Amino acid sequence: PKACLESLWAPWRVEYYHRQAEEGGDFLTAAAQATDDAAHLVVTRRKAAFLLMNKFPYSAGHLMAVPYRKVSEMADLGEAEILELWG
């Protein structure tokens, strides 16, 4: 039903949010700047984006494709970033 799909409740993620609030960290920035990919769950890196495993996934095998550059809208991504994220 549509009502069930409008809000995805994943209670196992609460641990992550509490830890991030306490540490004041941003796991995506930490992963982007890391030299130890395994410790940050980074699967692969490209010039404009990287791929990492989701420590608290919504579903099994969920991966995140992340551009190195932070933008407020996906429309602000450059062509190279788009190609690496969706190519």
Side-chain angles (χ1 to χ4, degrees), residues 7-60:
S7 177
L8 182 59
W9 173 242
W12 57 90
R13 297 178 60 83
V14 171
E15 174 190 332
Y16 164 76
Y17 290 115
H18 286 292
R19 189 175 68 237
Q20 290 300 307
E22 291 170 1
E23 296 174 4
D26 172 359
F27 77 98
L28 293 176
T29 299
Q33 298 171 352
T35 56
D36 184 358
D37 285 349
H40 289 86
L41 306 176
V42 175
V43 176
T44 190
R45 292 182 183 273
R46 301 284 191 241
K47 290 181 182 180
F50 61 101
L51 183 69
L52 75 155
M53 295 187 307
N54 190 341
K55 190 171 186 176
F56 298 95
Y58 288 109
S59 62

